[in-house]
Structure formats: structure tokens, C-alpha cells
Amino acid sequence: MDRRNPVIQPFFTLDEVLSWKPGRDELCVAKVEKRTRKVKNGPKLIVCHDFKGGYLEDRLIQGCGRPQAYRFYHWLYVDIFIYFSHYFVTIPPPSWTNAAHRHGVTVLGTIITEWDDGKGRCETFLKDEESYKQFADQLVEITKYYNFDGWLVNIENVIESSEMVSNLTNFVKYLTEKLHKHVPGSKVIWYDSVIDTGKLDWQNALNDKNSQYFNVSDGIFLNYCWKDEHLIQSKQYSETCDRQYDVYVGIDVFGRGCLGDGGYNTREALEAISKHNLSVAIFAPGWVYETQGAENFTHNENKFWCLLDDYLTTHSFISLPINTSFCQGFGERFFDNGVPVGNPWWNVNIQQLQPTFTQAQFLQKQTDTLLQENSNRSATSSNQSRSIMSSNQSASLMSNNQSSLTMIGQTGLMSDWNNKNDTSSSMMSIMGICTDDAFIGGSSLKLQAEVVHSKFVKYSLFSLDVDLKQYTSVYVSVTYKILQDPDCDIFLELHLQHDDQSIVLVLLPFPDGDKPVPTFGKDKACLYVYPMNQSALPKLLQLSSPQSNNTRWKTRWFPVYSLYLKFCKLKLVKVGLTTTDPQPKTCIALLGDLKILQGDELPDSFPTVEFSTVVPDITTSYPLLNVGKNNFNNNDDNNTDKPQCIEWGVDACGNPINIPINELDKMRVSCHTLREFRPSIGGQLCEVLYQLITSLDCFTVHWKVDNPGVVDHYRLYQIKIDSGVAKLLGHVTEPYFKVTWFEIPDYEKDELTHHFKFVIRPVLKNGIVVPLDYNYCQLFHIASKKESVTLVKDSCTSVTSEAGCEHEQANNETDDTKTNTTCELCDNKPTNQIVDIKELTNEKTASSNVTNQNAGEINNESTDDIENLTQNLSISDKKSE
């Protein structure tokens, strides 16, 4: 929570909006373009994020070290996400925009005026046509710059004159039309508040008093105090203009004036709305976190959405790629290729694609199965359609399984049994997030079920409607780990549709005949597909395939044949468990990564990163610890005046942020501070550490990429100077990173210059990660102190020889400077890397002289240290000795 971290803020005044110009806060721009989903003709869902006033951890552009911070991941239901606060003009933080856009969700900011203060603002920007157009033009430019999709207009104050009421209507119309012109897919939603006379009078319905605003916008967000007659009136009125799905009936999860009183009984209001086939706006679903606590948030969040599932519809993706590590944007560690490389973190910017099947469906299927096992299984009952669980039954079932749900944290996915090979076991199979182990990110999917030979448990992952004829080749990869028993394994199913014919591709990571495989009846054609040899993959996939290590993660690649690409649609993706044991046994597996990629859209090469600038932050003072208010130099542990918290920066309104001492270790500060400053030593803070906190180096690095269009986000690693070990610093979606904390080797109080070596690693939009290797990632070196920052070009830029293995062209030249490394395409086959150690040493000497002139004297590094850095980078979370 370092206050120097880059943050996004709202606009507090009209003058701030009118004087705004693009380009001054590039770090705050959302980068991810909105994904296209299948358009549904039916009621839609708005989720309005009103969480503790907004701009909390999510205002920190580069994330923070609090994995328990609020997150949202039920995007499968959502059409529009509104970031709401009570500030004048609310800009959605890029973390929410990026996460929503990855799932195809539209993101809106909020324009709000309230009470006397709002009345004065409205009088200013509605005084004439020039004023409201100037304001609207700026809002359009802000929308385009920050890359979100429109606005909720919430005017909750009296509009005094009829002229200003007319201007307000024209403002909404002008804003809507201009946004549609400049921002494809944009929306302007009007909140049910001011009526046609200018009076503040919430109608709780669409009627003649507020229809003038509805007619010039993309929809209306109704107030929460409606009754059934309001819904009838709204439906009748909207049907006259064929826009009933543009009426969003509000539900306040905090229950203020709402049918059912909100909370876990939100279902009651949703059920009433569904009878009239209107759209829904769920306000403040953060109620789950705010009132039920952070410790069981995942369980409670899934319980909340489980109760609503019967009345909500999910969305299908219509194009490739499908790529995900199932990470929700947080973790106790960050895992890279199965190895932990970072501290506890939260950064919804890089939340991965979440499945399109839910916990409610998962529980419903198992409940139906258990009920069927306890019945007489008569022919009549076997043909009955599934019954709908009541809210009480659902809540009861969730409550009964709370211990297991809490243990692994349910993601909200569906488990189903193969109808032909149904198991009679009554054990509940589970699919949930596991934060203890992951392949990429902070979590993986944990699959656990009791499985018997030839009886399979399957979990639906993604509902799709992808026309495969648009692709010439498709590759599928799965990365997984079997935890408990080598007799168990997983398989994937791709369900295809050709006219009325169903086709299933069963992807088997294991050899033919090694384990039982699912079979299908005559109504479904079936083909079993086995892993490809890595050498048969396109070169880019070969190079990016994970290298083997001792983490036991396995990656397998599969082809999808051209016959199916030509005629079929991909409709569904499932994962299943199998075992060779004829006796029931518990199978546990982790699913770490899934990719379905179009081969014809792979880039020709990895993007190249070129360092551009490094800019120091030369602010005169960083009062992270206010000495007057935060006195930690009292040795008396019994002193009742000793503070229980410290003042740590301010929020968006300038109010102080107070952090409890026992939470200090979770903050993003220098590792030295966290390691040495503990309440267990009486809260003492030595002078050296105090100096480190108040004058810690802070600078922004900026780089350029030769092919930015293929990049989703970047990872930044610090390279330990004495060992070459890579330690993850963070993630950004734009080519900027503000360095506010890092490990300083051999820090001494009087040392004026700190050395910082780092690597920028792009992650592509299709999920491919550029190898962490000097062949592809350049090492950068910065020598810095508070007043200046110098880029030192002593990094080990190497040239890869074209000799050494069958994957490279023949080259018989030899050179004394070649050193052997491991080829990315072969196991244990040497390739050659040209590294001129003498030249590197000379560059180091020259760069040391430059650094001495600009940033004080530095310690010399030996040739051995430099030579060590020419090897492939090592990923580890362990500190060097």
C-alpha cells in the first residue's frame, strides 16, 4: 500500500473534467480489448459495483500484497459492469476494465450529482448548449482514453428550471450519440431519479415521467423500491417501443427498500422480476464481503450466486483462443512454471478466463443424483425433468458442505456423470480453486472425486459456439498434476456439432490402453486423440512449452483435425477423471492451464522488448511514516500509548489510511523493511531502516515492443545480482512499470547507489509466455539513487548460434567464446550461445565509470558474476546465500 504506487482517481470537480488532457497518466489506461460473446435475445444483467465507496486496493494500478482484497469472478452471468462511487465522475480502475473485457463484459463509469453540491454542478454544465456539449465531449474523450465503454448517469438533485431539464435530456442524447459514434459497443444508462419536471422523484418504474431520458439513452436503471404493479407498468411501457430488455430493475443487495431484504434472499426479488421478463441490475454484491467477512469469502460468494443461478443465463464465447490458468487475480504466492516466485499478491488486471459453468449447476447435478439414488428409480421418475432447488434447499446444501468448500474454495463449476456409466457412489465430487499449488498465477483447479474403473466423473468447463471453419489448424494443450495416485489420470472432451450430428473428441494424455476411456452411444460419433510430439508443433509453441522441472506438472499438446475444422462448431469443453483401479478410490488432480489456440494466427516470432527510458521520482519527501504520529522507538512493551496502527498514505479523498501493525507485513514495501520490522521486537525501528523507508528509490521504467498488438500483459522480474535468480516484481498491461520496492543486495546505511537488474517478459494474448531466457528476454541494469537514475548497458545480450541440434540449421563453425546451454526444443542436447566475456567485462568497467560519475561509487562485480548471468535465468523464490 506504498502511497507512491501509481493510482487512479476520480474527478472531484467539473473544472478537473474540463481541464483534463490525455497522456498524463498512461499507467491508468486499460489495455484489454473487449472479447466478443454470443448475443443473447433476452433479459440482461447489470452488476453495479458499490464497494465501501470505491477506490480501495483497486485504485493501485500495479496491484498490492493483500490477497484477501475484494475480487469478482462470476463474469459468465454479466452483460454490463458499472464501477460506482459517490465522486462526481468515476473512472473504472483498469483492473476491473481489463478483467471484464477478457470475459466480454461492457464496463461503465459513473456520473453522479447529489443534493446541494450536485445542484450547483448541474446549473453550471446545463446552463446552455455549449456547456453541456463541452462536458459531454470531455466524457467521450475520457472514455476513449481509459478504454472503457460508457456511463451510468445518476442525477440525484433537483433541476430548477424547465430550460435546464431540456438541456439535461439533450445532454444525455448528445452523450449517447457521440459515444456510439466514437466507442463501438458503448452504452449510456439513465438512473431512475429526476423526472420530466426536474423534481427528484424516484419512480421505481418506467413511465411517462422518466421516459424522456430512457428514449435518448441505452436503458434505464430502476430504483429498488418497486412492487409488482411497477414491473407490470414497466413491461407494458417498454414493449410499446420493443425495448423491454433495456429496462434494468434494481435490486439492492443491502436490502434497502427492496423486496426480500437483499442478502442471501436476493433470489426473491430476482424471481419476481423474471416473471415479467425484464432485465436486472444487482447493486452492491460486495455485501457478501462487507458483511460476511473476508475469511470465507469464496464460499459465501459462491453461495450467493448459487442461489440466483436459476434466474440468470450464461454467455458463450464465439471465437478462439480459449486460454486460462483459472487464476482469479490473487494468491498467497505467484507461481511461474509451477515454481513460486513472488509474495502474496492481488491484481485483478491479470485475472484469467473463468469457466462458464457455475457452482449452482455443480450442486444441482449432484443433488439430483443423490435424490435419484434414494428413490425407487421408477420408469416414470427417471423421465422427469430436473427439479429446481428452492433457495432454502440450496443454502442448506451449501451449509452442509461448508467445511470442504472452505478448505479448497469453490470456483463455481459444474460436475456431471456420464449417463451411460453412472456411478452409484454418494460421495460429492468437488472442483475448486487451490491456492497452495499452481502452474501459472495464484491458483489452479482442484478436481477431487471418488472414481471407479470405467465409471467417470466429468466437469464441464466452457460453453462455446465457435465456428471452426474460420481456422486452418487448432492446437489444444492441458497442463495438470496428479496429486494422490498414479493409477488416476485426466482426459478432455471437445464436444462438436455438425448439423444434427454430435461428435466428441476425447483427448487422452496417457498412452493407448493405459487407462479406461469414456465411450458414447450411436447418437454421438467419437474419436480418441493422443498427444503430439513436441517437434511437430509450430516453432513458437515448441519454444514456449514449459521446461521440465521437479514440480511434477505435465503439459500435453493435441491437434484438432482439419475435417472437423471444416464442418463443425465447438460447443463444449469438459475435463474428466479416470482410474485403472476396479475398487472405488479418491482421485485428486490439479488443472493448471488450458489452451485452445488457432495455429494460423500464431505470431511469426516472439515480441522484442527494447528499453526506452527510466524516470526517477524526485519528490522531496515521502512521509510514509509520520514520525510525530508513529513513534516506534519506545522500548517499553507495556506502554499503553504504543500505537496499534500506523498512518500509511491517504485514500482518494485525502483521508488517512491506518494500517494495523499486525497487517504491516502484507504491505508492498521494501523486503528489508518487512524482514526486520516486527512487533515482536517491541515495535522498534532502527535508524537504518527508517532511512530506507523514507528515501527508498522510486523510478518508472518505460519500454517499447516491436509487436505490441500480440501482447496481453508483461511480467517484470528482478534479477538477483549475486546469483542470477529471477524474483517476480509485478505485472502491468501497458509498457510502463513504477518500481517502488525491490531487494537491495548488501544494503548499508551509507551506500548512496542501489543496483537493480530486471527482465521484462511479455505474455501474449493467446496465453503463450515468452521464455525466460537470454535468447528472448533482454537483461536491463539500472544504477539509481534518489536524485538520478542511470541505465547501465552491461547486460548479457547474446547471439544464438544456428548449430547444436536437429532443430537448427547446420553450422560447423567453432568459437572459443561459445558456452553450452540446453536447447529449447530438445532434452539434454547442447546448443551454442556466443558470449564475449572480455567484451562484457569491458562494458562493465565502462558502465561502472558512468555510474560513478552519475550516482556515486559502486562495488565492482567479478567476471564470474557476469559470466553467471549469461546462463538461462533461474526462477526461484529462495533468497541467495
Side-chain angles (χ1 to χ4, degrees):
M1 299 284 287
D2 187 337
R3 68 179 295 180
R4 296 167 301 170
N5 274 332
V7 299
I8 189 165
Q9 291 184 332
F11 292 98
F12 299 98
T13 66
L14 181 59
D15 287 341
E16 287 181 359
V17 176
L18 298 180
S19 63
W20 175 86
K21 294 181 179 180
R24 64 184 183 185
D25 54 354
E26 297 93 340
L27 286 164
C28 299
V29 175
K31 181 178 177 65
V32 178
E33 297 301 321
K34 187 170 67 173
R35 184 176 190 136
T36 303
R37 301 190 298 189
K38 186 176 182 179
V39 177
K40 65 179 183 182
N41 183 26
K44 297 186 285 290
L45 175 67
I46 283 176
V47 166
C48 192
H49 171 281
D50 178 34
F51 183 71
K52 296 185 177 181
Y55 295 102
L56 301 174
E57 290 91 351
D58 53 7
R59 81 186 191 280
L60 299 168
I61 304 303
Q62 296 174 181
C64 70
R66 295 190 66 244
Q68 68 273 28
Y70 178 75
R71 66 188 187 281
F72 181 81
Y73 51 92
H74 285 89
W75 300 107
L76 69 161
Y77 298 118
V78 183
D79 295 276
I80 299 174
F81 178 85
I82 299 174
Y83 192 81
F84 183 89
S85 77
H86 288 272
Y87 306 116
F88 176 42
V89 174
T90 296
I91 309 297
S95 57
W96 291 112
T97 303
N98 287 328
H101 279 182
R102 281 195 180 94
H103 294 85
V105 175
T106 298
V107 179
L108 307 185
T110 304
I111 305 162
I112 186 170
T113 61
E114 299 176 286
W115 318 122
D116 291 339
D117 179 67
K119 178 183 172 182
R121 290 178 182 176
C122 288
E123 289 174 349
T124 302
F125 78 82
L126 295 176
K127 63 183 179 181
D128 52 38
E129 179 179 358
E130 180 183 359
S131 297
Y132 75 68
K133 284 187 174 181
Q134 183 185 14
F135 181 43
D137 288 341
Q138 282 293 85
L139 293 174
V140 171
E141 292 303 312
I142 288 169
T143 309
K144 290 166 54 180
Y145 177 74
Y146 292 105
N147 195 28
F148 58 102
D149 308 301
W151 299 94
L152 170 70
V153 180
N154 186 0
I155 307 298
E156 295 200 71
N157 50 259
V158 174
I159 304 298
E160 289 287 359
S161 68
S162 58
E163 180 182 0
M164 284 199 296
V165 171
S166 176
N167 286 342
L168 177 58
T169 306
N170 290 333
F171 162 73
V172 176
K173 179 180 180 181
Y174 180 80
L175 175 63
T176 303
E177 291 176 347
K178 191 157 187 181
L179 268 177
H180 289 177
K181 181 179 178 180
H182 294 279
V183 182
S186 58
K187 299 286 184 184
V188 174
I189 305 295
W190 172 264
Y191 182 70
D192 166 30
S193 50
V194 170
I195 60 174
D196 55 352
T197 64
K199 181 181 178 182
L200 181 59
D201 189 6
W202 300 270
Q203 297 297 292
N204 303 297
L206 175 63
N207 56 31
D208 288 330
K209 293 183 177 180
N210 55 23
S211 61
Q212 67 185 56
Y213 306 108
F214 174 74
N215 293 335
V216 297
S217 65
D218 296 301
I220 186 169
F221 184 146
L222 298 183
N223 192 46
Y224 318 104
C225 301
W226 45 264
K227 300 185 184 302
D228 198 61
E229 54 265 31
H230 292 107
L231 302 182
I232 295 172
Q233 182 184 25
S234 299
K235 182 178 181 180
Q236 292 175 342
Y237 203 102
S238 61
E239 284 180 335
T240 61
C241 52
D242 195 24
R243 292 185 61 191
Q244 70 183 87
Y245 301 138
D246 292 338
V247 178
Y248 298 88
V249 184
I251 302 176
D252 186 353
V253 183
F254 279 85
R256 293 162 289 201
C258 190
L259 176 67
D261 296 326
Y264 291 127
N265 204 33
T266 296
R267 176 189 174 97
E268 183 177 341
L270 188 58
E271 181 179 8
I273 297 168
S274 68
K275 293 177 181 178
H276 300 279
N277 207 29
L278 296 170
S279 294
V280 177
I282 295 179
F283 183 79
W287 171 90
V288 175
Y289 188 103
E290 291 192 51
T291 66
Q292 308 299 296
E295 58 279 0
N296 292 318
F297 170 69
T298 305
H299 164 72
N300 293 327
E301 178 78 348
N302 288 317
K303 174 182 175 180
F304 176 83
W305 288 99
C306 167
L307 297 172
L308 307 183
D309 177 78
D310 294 339
Y311 302 104
L312 300 175
T313 58
T314 58
H315 296 78
S316 298
F317 299 118
I318 61 174
S319 63
L320 300 181
I322 299 295
N323 69 85
T324 180
S325 65
F326 305 99
C327 176
Q328 293 181 2
F330 82 107
E332 294 299 329
R333 307 297 299 274
F334 187 91
F335 292 83
D336 197 330
N337 198 21
V339 178
V341 297
N343 297 315
W345 65 284
W346 177 95
N347 191 339
V348 181
N349 261 312
I350 60 164
Q351 184 184 86
Q352 297 291 291
L353 204 63
Q354 298 299 301
T356 53
F357 287 87
T358 69
Q359 175 66 22
Q361 295 163 314
F362 167 82
L363 289 173
Q364 179 67 63
K365 188 67 178 180
Q366 296 192 74
T367 302
D368 290 346
T369 302
L370 294 177
L371 291 174
Q372 187 176 15
E373 290 173 358
N374 294 328
S375 70
N376 295 326
R377 302 196 180 197
S378 64
T380 302
S381 63
S382 64
N383 292 325
Q384 289 177 347
S385 60
R386 83 167 194 175
S387 60
I388 302 298
M389 261 194 306
S390 70
S391 58
N392 292 334
Q393 287 173 317
S394 300
S396 175
L397 181 57
M398 294 290 291
S399 177
N400 292 338
N401 291 279
Q402 182 172 359
S403 59
S404 61
L405 294 174
T406 303
M407 177 179 67
I408 65 173
Q410 290 296 315
T411 58
L413 305 180
M414 178 179 177
S415 167
D416 65 285
W417 280 263
N418 184 300
N419 292 331
K420 184 177 179 180
N421 297 313
D422 201 0
T423 177
S424 61
S425 169
S426 62
M427 175 183 176
M428 299 281 284
S429 58
I430 296 171
M431 182 181 246
I433 61 170
C434 172
T435 57
D436 294 331
D437 194 1
F439 182 69
I440 294 291
S443 59
S444 59
L445 290 186
K446 186 173 183 179
L447 287 66
Q448 180 174 334
E450 191 166 296
V451 183
V452 185
H453 185 279
S454 298
K455 296 182 185 292
F456 311 102
V457 177
K458 302 178 186 179
Y459 305 84
S460 294
L461 295 178
F462 289 100
S463 171
L464 305 169
D465 193 31
V466 179
D467 195 341
L468 295 178
K469 67 181 180 182
Q470 59 187 305
Y471 308 115
T472 58
S473 61
V474 171
Y475 299 94
V476 181
S477 78
V478 59
T479 301
Y480 70 103
K481 177 190 289 190
I482 302 299
L483 289 185
Q484 183 151 314
D485 198 308
D487 292 333
C488 297
D489 218 314
I490 72 166
F491 59 88
L492 294 178
E493 290 181 0
L494 304 185
H495 290 244
L496 309 178
Q497 191 74 32
H498 173 55
D499 295 332
D500 295 331
Q501 176 67 47
S502 297
I503 304 168
V504 181
L505 300 185
V506 184
L507 312 184
L508 303 174
F510 43 83
D512 187 16
D514 186 56
K515 292 178 178 66
V517 298
T519 59
F520 298 86
K522 295 181 180 179
D523 59 327
K524 289 186 180 180
C526 179
L527 179 69
Y528 300 96
V529 184
Y530 298 95
M532 301 176 64
N533 190 307
Q534 186 170 319
S535 61
L537 288 168
K539 186 172 182 180
L540 208 70
L541 299 183
Q542 297 179 44
L543 295 173
S544 63
S545 292
Q547 301 300 309
S548 59
N549 53 32
N550 60 359
T551 61
R552 296 190 291 125
W553 286 99
K554 303 175 185 178
T555 298
R556 301 288 184 263
W557 284 94
F558 303 88
V560 176
Y561 296 104
S562 58
L563 173 65
Y564 300 107
L565 295 177
K566 188 174 182 180
F567 295 109
C568 294
K569 282 191 173 184
L570 176 58
K571 303 295 289 186
L572 181 65
V573 179
K574 292 185 179 183
V575 61
L577 296 174
T578 182
T579 181
T580 59
D581 200 320
Q583 300 298 319
K585 65 165 29 179
T586 300
C587 292
I588 303 177
L590 300 182
L591 193 61
D593 190 71
L594 176 68
K595 290 183 174 66
I596 307 176
L597 307 180
Q598 60 274 43
D600 48 332
E601 295 188 13
L602 292 173
D604 295 330
S605 61
F606 293 120
T608 301
V609 175
E610 177 184 353
F611 192 86
S612 179
T613 59
V614 52
V615 180
D617 190 333
I618 56 175
T619 306
T620 56
S621 177
Y622 297 127
L624 296 180
L625 294 178
N626 187 310
V627 180
K629 296 182 180 179
N630 303 296
N631 182 9
F632 296 102
N633 294 314
N634 192 327
N635 295 326
D636 184 6
D637 289 339
N638 297 321
N639 186 352
T640 57
D641 295 330
K642 188 166 61 175
Q644 299 302 308
C645 61
I646 65 170
E647 186 174 308
W648 197 272
V650 295
D651 62 15
C653 287
N655 300 315
I657 300 173
N658 294 314
I659 305 297
I661 289 179
N662 58 7
E663 292 283 314
L664 189 63
D665 284 350
K666 302 174 184 177
M667 302 298 106
R668 287 291 284 270
V669 203
S670 166
C671 294
H672 285 270
T673 309
L674 301 184
R675 188 166 62 247
E676 302 297 336
F677 177 33
R678 296 288 189 275
S680 60
I681 58 174
Q684 295 181 8
L685 185 63
C686 69
E687 180 64 23
V688 171
L689 291 175
Y690 180 77
Q691 293 297 325
L692 179 60
I693 292 173
T694 56
S695 63
L696 186 66
D697 296 74
C698 182
F699 50 87
T700 300
V701 293
H702 178 205
W703 57 90
K704 297 178 180 179
V705 183
D706 62 349
N707 191 3
V710 304
V711 178
D712 182 80
H713 66 279
Y714 305 87
R715 299 180 195 156
L716 196 83
Y717 299 82
Q718 179 185 358
I719 307 302
K720 301 289 285 294
I721 290 179
D722 54 353
S723 66
V725 169
K727 180 91 173 181
L728 184 71
L729 278 183
H731 324 259
V732 284
T733 56
E734 289 290 313
Y736 303 87
F737 189 86
K738 188 169 184 179
V739 180
T740 60
W741 71 278
F742 52 91
E743 294 192 26
I744 305 171
D746 302 324
Y747 176 80
E748 296 180 3
K749 176 180 177 180
D750 296 329
E751 185 178 354
L752 298 179
T753 303
H754 302 150
H755 291 272
F756 177 63
K757 295 195 176 186
F758 64 99
V759 164
I760 299 161
R761 188 183 188 189
V763 179
L764 308 190
K765 290 180 178 179
N766 56 17
I768 292 176
V769 185
V770 174
L772 192 59
D773 184 308
Y774 282 124
N775 295 320
Y776 308 103
C777 292
Q778 185 177 356
L779 177 72
F780 301 105
H781 179 185
I782 288 176
S784 72
K785 62 180 181 178
K786 189 171 181 179
E787 292 77 15
S788 64
V789 181
T790 304
L791 175 65
V792 183
K793 294 185 177 179
D794 70 339
S795 52
C796 310
T797 306
S798 59
V799 180
T800 303
S801 165
E802 296 184 349
C805 74
E806 61 183 356
H807 299 117
E808 305 292 346
Q809 299 176 359
N811 188 337
N812 296 323
E813 296 179 2
T814 60
D815 195 305
D816 293 337
T817 61
K818 294 177 181 178
T819 59
N820 289 335
T821 61
T822 302
C823 177
E824 301 85 352
L825 310 184
C826 306
D827 292 330
N828 301 321
K829 291 184 180 181
T831 185
N832 296 310
Q833 195 175 50
I834 301 176
V835 179
D836 190 333
I837 301 299
K838 181 178 179 181
E839 181 180 348
L840 289 174
T841 306
N842 292 338
E843 287 184 5
K844 174 62 186 175
T845 302
S847 64
S848 297
N849 293 335
V850 173
T851 307
N852 288 338
Q853 297 172 7
N854 292 279
E857 186 168 346
I858 62 174
N859 295 326
N860 292 326
E861 295 181 23
S862 67
T863 301
D864 291 338
D865 291 331
I866 299 172
E867 186 173 359
N868 182 49
L869 290 175
T870 66
Q871 308 303 316
N872 288 352
L873 298 175
S874 171
I875 297 180
S876 175
D877 67 326
K878 297 181 179 179
K879 298 184 184 298
S880 57
E881 298 297 332

